[in-house]
Amino acid sequence: MLRVRNLEAGYGDLRVLKGLSLHVFPGEIVAIIGANGAGKSTLLNSIAGLIRPSGGSVTLKGADVTRARPERILGRGCSLVPEGRKLFAPMTVSENLELGGYLVRKRLGKREAEADFASVYELFPRLRERERQLAGTLSGGEQQMLAIGRSLMSRPELIMLDEPSMGLAPLVIKGIFSAILALSSRGKTILVVEQNAKAILKIASRGYVMETGSLVLEGTGAELLANRDVQRAYLGKEYASIADEGERI
């Protein structure tokens, strides 16, 4: 589905990604965890075409999209749910969703777009209740649902999510992760950057640990959860202490 090879990218003279390589197979949930400033968002933005890489390559479904425009990458089935949601606040829920389906509606017509609305509302029934409400007046959890729903309107095969649980209450986070699992069960491929390492690694097929623009560790979700360095750095002292106690027992 996705192959990134020796990717270099940054902002002006600031080099953020330093020869980074990863892959995502169809149907996987792949997590990227790491400290703030590691370059995780830069990676997703580079794959999505929002940042033009200075070196390396990005291949999507066998096609080189390294320097493709964002709309071409979206048209090839890769959508990004950005950090902070980036909704059109003065527009309604349904209008935000309609914008997300612009390429599909242009290619397939209104009837197909209506089917996509129904699919999003099935995943997030709360959005149907709020469809005439302005996006800027929604709760944080509802806004995250809308951001994900908007991305689904383009019928992506690969969905990239950047910090989907940021700023949300624990119960809402549980719902968002349930939605990620539901999307996976629908055959979607997921690449997710997430600060809640414990939660995402529990559902991830595989994961990568990112530090200062490079990937330093890779494994299954279970392997990374059991890794002592990951426990101490990203899962908290309490989690690491419990794991150590379990080994002694």
Side-chain angles (χ1 to χ4, degrees):
M1 177 65 73
L2 175 70
R3 288 191 176 275
V4 175
R5 288 289 176 267
N6 302 316
L7 197 64
E8 306 269 346
Y11 308 91
D13 294 331
L14 177 62
R15 182 169 168 246
V16 178
L17 303 183
K18 305 168 184 176
L20 183 151
S21 297
L22 62 78
H23 62 276
V24 181
F25 294 123
E28 285 191 307
I29 299 175
V30 175
I32 300 175
I33 63 173
N36 291 338
K40 304 184 298 297
S41 294
T42 301
L43 171 61
L44 296 192
N45 287 332
S46 297
I47 295 170
L50 299 174
I51 296 174
R52 178 161 290 193
S54 58
S57 65
V58 178
T59 304
L60 179 64
K61 297 194 308 184
D64 188 337
V65 295
T66 310
R67 289 169 180 80
R69 293 179 61 84
E71 59 267 28
R72 183 188 165 210
I73 295 171
L74 181 64
R76 286 197 63 83
C78 175
S79 71
L80 171 65
V81 181
E83 181 180 358
R85 297 136 199 169
K86 304 294 191 296
L87 299 173
F88 296 97
M91 301 177 71
T92 66
V93 166
S94 61
E95 287 169 340
N96 271 270
L97 292 176
E98 186 175 356
L99 284 174
Y102 171 76
L103 289 179
V104 170
R105 190 174 66 256
K106 185 178 179 181
R107 185 174 71 249
L108 300 177
K110 184 177 179 180
R111 181 175 296 179
E112 294 293 331
E114 289 175 352
D116 293 333
F117 271 99
S119 179
V120 170
Y121 289 149
E122 180 184 2
L123 182 65
F124 297 119
R126 182 67 62 86
L127 295 183
R128 184 189 298 274
E129 300 170 8
R130 302 284 193 268
E131 64 179 346
R132 299 304 174 192
Q133 189 169 327
L134 298 182
T137 67
L138 299 175
S139 69
E142 291 166 346
Q143 288 187 5
Q144 189 62 60
M145 294 174 196
L146 180 54
I148 295 172
R150 182 180 60 184
S151 79
L152 293 175
M153 293 293 289
S154 66
R155 295 191 175 185
E157 296 175 55
L158 170 64
I159 304 169
M160 301 191 298
L161 300 105
D162 195 352
E163 302 286 9
S165 77
M166 181 178 289
L168 302 181
L171 187 59
V172 179
I173 291 173
K174 184 177 179 180
I176 294 297
F177 278 86
S178 294
I180 292 173
L181 284 172
L183 290 172
S184 179
S185 71
R186 291 183 180 186
K188 303 296 185 183
T189 303
I190 312 288
L191 177 61
V192 55
V193 163
E194 178 52 54
Q195 61 179 346
N196 191 333
K198 182 179 178 181
I200 193 61
L201 291 176
K202 282 184 175 180
I203 67 171
S205 313
R206 293 185 300 110
Y208 294 93
V209 178
M210 191 169 182
E211 292 181 2
T212 59
S214 301
L215 298 176
V216 297
L217 192 61
E218 174 188 359
T220 67
E223 287 170 345
L224 293 180
L225 278 171
N227 184 286
R228 287 188 176 185
D229 292 333
V230 172
Q231 290 171 1
R232 292 189 173 93
Y234 304 109
L235 304 181
K237 294 180 180 179
E238 182 179 351
Y239 190 94
S241 298
I242 292 172
D244 291 341
E245 184 66 25
E247 285 192 4
R248 286 195 294 272
I249 292 173

